[in-house]
Amino acid sequence: MSSDNTPALPLPAWPSDDAAPVGLREPASALARAIARLVPWRYDRQLVAGVTPEPGSPLAVHVARLTSDTERRQLVEALRQAQREAENGPVMFTSRIPVDDAAVAEAAAAIDEVCVRLSAPRPVRAHGVARLRLLLSNGTGPLYQDGRGDLTAALRAVLAEL
């Protein structure tokens, strides 16, 4: 109960850093929403670098989108698509960069863990989602043929930040 005898509202169960409500506390302008859609990679990089979103800013709009159920489902589907491609081989006549079959097979457990975490009803932290989006979009990274790095380690880093 609060001091005026009204029931106190429970505190939100969000992580203390950059989770979804930051972008929702103050309505964003149409311009902020448009900018967030036009250059999402910029905001992914900012989140991974530790930039804190200001309420109503394009970065806050991006945070809200990253932590949405729709975005989470799309990322799970992208990871599952990479697994299917690794198992079945790349689709012919596509502009997609082929995945590194061996790296994806070796990282299967980590991929599954990330998918389970993204599919769970618990909130996720936006900078972990941003790190995963950067991993998926980096054609020279460990997910893709001739890429550099360790996919399992990269996915473990994502999981730690989710």
Side-chain angles (χ1 to χ4, degrees), residues 48-67:
V48 169
V51 175
T52 302
E54 294 294 324
S57 69
L59 182 57
V61 172
H62 187 66
V63 164
R65 188 171 127 240
L66 289 184
T67 56

Side-chain angles (χ1 to χ4, degrees), residues 79 106-116 151-153 155-156 159:
L79 288 168
E106 185 178 301
I111 291 171
D112 290 341
E113 287 181 56
V114 171
C115 288
V116 166
L151 181 58
T152 302
L155 288 167
R156 294 273 176 231
L159 196 55

Side-chain angles (χ1 to χ4, degrees), residues 39-132:
V39 287
W41 51 270
R42 174 188 295 170
Y43 298 114
D44 286 342
R45 288 184 182 146
Q46 287 180 5
L47 288 169
V48 169
V51 175
T52 302
E54 294 294 324
S57 69
L59 182 57
V61 172
H62 187 66
V63 164
R65 188 171 127 240
L66 289 184
T67 56
S68 72
D69 289 342
T70 300
E71 183 71 18
R72 292 166 70 168
R73 280 191 299 272
Q74 289 172 347
L75 290 169
V76 168
E77 179 53 32
L79 288 168
R80 295 300 184 206
Q81 176 63 35
Q83 286 182 311
R84 284 190 298 273
E85 188 178 319
E87 291 170 6
N88 304 327
V91 177
M92 299 305 277
F93 307 110
T94 181
S95 61
R96 291 174 56 112
I97 300 169
V99 298
D100 183 335
D101 300 347
V104 171
E106 185 178 301
I111 291 171
D112 290 341
E113 287 181 56
V114 171
C115 288
V116 166
R117 179 67 181 93
L118 287 171
S119 299
R122 295 185 348 214
V124 293
R125 291 182 290 186
H127 67 277
V129 176
R131 183 175 294 279
L132 177 58

